[in-house]
Amino acid sequence: GVGHVFWKDVSQIESGDQPQADAYNQCTTFLRDFFSSSKRHVADATHTAQTLTSTVKDKFLDSLDRPYDLNQGSKERTGLLNDMIQNGDSIEHPGSLESFMPVAPGRWRVIYAPHMTTMSGLAGGEFSVQYDLNDDGTIVSHAKCNFPFFKGYLSVSGTYDSVNNEVCRVDFDEAWLKASSNENDEPYPK
């Protein structure tokens, strides 16, 4: 059967609160399996979810230590990511507005960016990064910083657009900082 589970925020999922974490995992596994299938018919959904072989995207997601936050770079993960890009385990024409605008708007968490984990490791800290992409092509990014010399948020804003069918671009034109050692603090609205 289908049920409903509600949670206040992603911290309940990250900390493993029950029954929210189990319901979230069951839901995301089903949806990942269903939408990575070549058959997307509701009548086939249960069968598809049970019999689907792993895609490169599934293998990449399974390789993550932290599914909701930034993961350390590795040769395996980078290889799987490159395989996804090269072999099209993605939307068709990922750089075109027509392809990415139906899925782009919303809040996105960065889960893999080796350049970020390398930089943060060199500085003895870590980042947690989210992007808010809006329907009008504007973007706001907040990088929560936890470093010995700075705790708080590094935020930037700008626009995103298409370059061609394979490449999109982000142009940041404003940046600001918010110092805060409060673990539960949020970035201030722009």
Side-chain angles (χ1 to χ4, degrees):
V2 176
H4 297 280
V5 174
F6 299 96
W7 49 85
K8 289 190 294 189
D9 59 49
V10 76
S11 67
Q12 288 181 292
I13 306 305
E14 291 170 341
S15 66
D17 291 1
Q18 295 300 329
Q20 292 89 350
D22 282 346
Y24 179 85
N25 290 332
Q26 185 178 17
C27 231
T28 54
T29 298
F30 172 79
L31 290 171
R32 183 183 311 129
D33 290 348
F34 179 71
F35 285 107
S36 63
S37 166
S38 62
K39 295 180 181 179
R40 296 195 174 134
H41 303 289
V42 174
D44 297 333
T46 304
H47 176 69
T48 300
Q50 292 170 347
T51 61
L52 184 67
T53 58
S54 288
T55 64
V56 175
K57 190 183 300 181
D58 291 328
K59 290 175 185 172
F60 173 78
L61 293 172
D62 290 342
S63 78
L64 301 175
D65 298 321
R66 303 187 307 175
Y68 315 109
D69 216 341
L70 202 52
N71 287 264
Q72 291 295 317
S74 74
K75 287 182 181 179
E76 175 197 10
R77 290 177 184 145
T78 298
L80 290 167
L81 182 61
N82 288 334
D83 198 15
M84 260 194 302
I85 293 167
Q86 297 301 316
N87 295 318
D89 196 6
S90 181
I91 59 175
E92 189 175 345
H93 306 298
S96 75
L97 280 173
E98 293 77 21
S99 290
F100 69 71
M101 282 309 288
V103 296
R107 176 162 289 163
W108 294 85
R109 299 288 303 235
V110 177
I111 60 171
Y112 193 68
H115 66 289
M116 289 182 187
T117 54
T118 298
M119 289 187 320
S120 63
L122 292 172
E126 66 179 357
F127 291 116
S128 180
V129 183
Q130 73 183 34
Y131 294 131
D132 292 325
L133 282 72
N134 302 306
D135 291 326
D136 63 359
T138 58
I139 181 173
V140 179
S141 174
H142 302 290
K144 186 174 188 177
C145 305
N146 187 4
F147 292 92
F149 53 88
F150 178 77
K151 293 184 185 335
Y153 288 90
L154 166 62
S155 300
V156 293
S157 66
T159 60
Y160 65 98
D161 203 348
S162 176
V163 173
N164 59 43
N165 279 344
E166 302 304 315
V167 178
C168 55
R169 102 184 249 154
V170 176
D171 295 305
F172 292 120
D173 57 8
E174 292 185 58
W176 64 98
L177 292 171
K178 178 185 179 186
S180 175
S181 58
N182 180 346
E183 179 66 28
N184 296 319
D185 201 8
E186 293 291 324
Y188 56 87
K190 189 166 167 341

